[in-house]
């Protein structure tokens, strides 16, 4: 009989991407042009269409040890064997060891999940969503643009935490930290801090803009 632990460990083709952090349930379009990754995609398309995305830090020259599995949902072959693929984030994983690095990287990984919450996280999720709406409203006012939240913002706390994390821009290290958390409450609390700080900053800029007009 195979234990649940050993079933959760598998070999996975890995695709390090500079300053890109993929989250469960979130789309990631890719343009595949390097020969080794064209090989990888052709192999994946003949199996389960799944590979791992790991954030590569170009400044430190380091590859993260926690990433997210991506599943190819659509693909288009281009001239000279380049490829456009649309992927969707699945479960997260921790890299245990490198199996090989050529012609493309393959790692031994274990799946990771958030721990079951001990309290009802819906009130906290509602607070995060309210902060998100404030940030969008203030951004729209400050830039004189029509900016609205999309219709696909999740209601469930864990899914909302991944959605918010995936929509933070220019802060790959912060996103990586959020990806590695296995506590939905801690992730939502950190996002509330980030959104609260952003809201206060935008409110101050908006007040200054109003005063000068």
């Amino acid at each position: 009989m195979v234990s649940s632990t050993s079933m959760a460990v598998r070999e996975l083709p890995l695709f390090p991407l500079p300053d890109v952090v993929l989250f469960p349930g979130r789309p990631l379009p890719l343009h595949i042009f390097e020969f080794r990754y064209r090989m990888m995609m052709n192999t994946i398309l003949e199996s389960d269409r799944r590979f791992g995305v790991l954030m590569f830090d170009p400044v430190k020259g380091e590859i993260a040890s926690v990433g997210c599995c991506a599943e190819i949902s659509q693909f288009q072959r281009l001239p000279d064997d380049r490829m456009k693929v649309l992927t969707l984030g699945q479960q997260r994983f921790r890299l245990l060891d490198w199996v090989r690095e050529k012609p493309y990287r393959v790692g031994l990984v274990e799946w990771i999940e958030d721990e079951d919450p001990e309290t009802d996280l819906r009130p906290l999720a509602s607070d995060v969503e309210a902060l998100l709406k404030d940030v969008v409203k203030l951004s729209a006012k400050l830039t004189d643009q029509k900016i609205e939240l999309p219709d696909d913002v999740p209601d469930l706390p864990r899914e909302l935490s991944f959605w918010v994390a995936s929509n933070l821009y220019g802060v790959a290290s912060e996103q990586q930290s959020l990806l590695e958390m296995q506590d939905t409450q801690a992730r939502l609390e950190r996002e509330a801090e980030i959104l609260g700080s952003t809201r206060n900053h935008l409110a101050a800029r908006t007040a200054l803009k109003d005063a000068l007009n």
Side-chain angles (χ1 to χ4, degrees):
M1 185 174 177
V2 181
S3 72
S4 60
T5 304
S6 61
M7 285 175 64
V9 174
R10 63 164 282 182
E11 288 187 11
L12 191 67
L14 297 174
F15 195 168
L17 285 168
D19 291 332
V20 173
V21 182
L22 177 63
F23 288 87
R26 305 307 304 152
L28 177 65
L30 294 169
H31 178 200
I32 308 299
F33 54 89
E34 276 191 63
F35 178 70
R36 57 179 168 167
Y37 293 123
R38 298 201 310 253
M39 284 182 62
M40 187 174 92
M41 291 300 158
N42 286 323
T43 303
I44 289 165
L45 286 167
E46 292 174 1
S47 56
D48 63 0
R49 294 191 170 206
R50 290 155 67 90
F51 63 98
V53 173
L54 287 168
M55 194 268 279
F56 171 67
D57 186 333
V59 176
K60 296 180 180 177
E62 295 175 355
I63 298 175
S65 59
V66 171
C68 184
C69 181
E71 184 171 358
I72 298 173
S73 56
Q74 297 176 35
F75 71 96
Q76 176 188 5
R77 295 189 186 277
L78 301 171
D80 63 32
D81 208 29
R82 289 177 297 120
M83 202 182 291
K84 282 186 177 180
V85 299
L86 179 61
T87 72
L88 188 68
Q90 304 293 335
Q91 64 265 58
R92 292 168 295 159
F93 63 85
R94 180 176 289 106
L95 176 63
L96 301 176
D97 200 4
W98 295 105
V99 176
R100 66 172 189 266
E101 297 198 19
K102 292 181 179 180
Y104 51 83
R105 289 180 172 87
V106 175
L108 187 67
V109 307
E110 63 175 355
W111 305 121
I112 60 173
E113 294 284 353
D114 277 9
E115 299 157 3
D116 291 333
E118 297 180 358
T119 58
D120 184 0
L121 297 181
R122 286 175 295 181
L124 176 57
S126 295
D127 290 345
V128 168
E129 191 171 0
L131 285 165
L132 190 61
K133 288 176 179 175
D134 285 349
V135 167
V136 169
K137 185 178 178 181
L138 286 165
S139 296
K141 185 176 181 182
L142 191 63
T143 58
D144 294 320
Q145 293 179 328
K146 186 177 181 181
I147 305 172
E148 295 179 348
L149 280 174
D151 296 330
D152 67 346
V153 180
D155 294 319
L156 297 173
R158 187 186 65 165
E159 284 71 15
L160 175 65
S161 75
F162 289 144
W163 190 95
V164 171
S166 73
N167 282 281
L168 299 175
Y169 294 105
V171 285
S173 60
E174 183 74 67
Q175 287 183 303
Q176 182 63 34
S177 174
L178 292 167
L179 182 77
E180 293 178 7
M181 289 181 181
Q182 290 180 253
D183 184 331
T184 309
Q185 180 173 341
R187 190 181 303 109
L188 285 168
E189 287 173 345
R190 177 60 188 141
E191 288 165 353
E193 288 177 10
I194 294 168
L195 290 170
S197 175
T198 303
R199 180 190 61 182
N200 294 342
H201 176 69
L202 291 171
R205 289 181 61 190
T206 304
L208 180 62
K209 181 184 176 184
D210 290 344
L212 294 173
N213 288 340

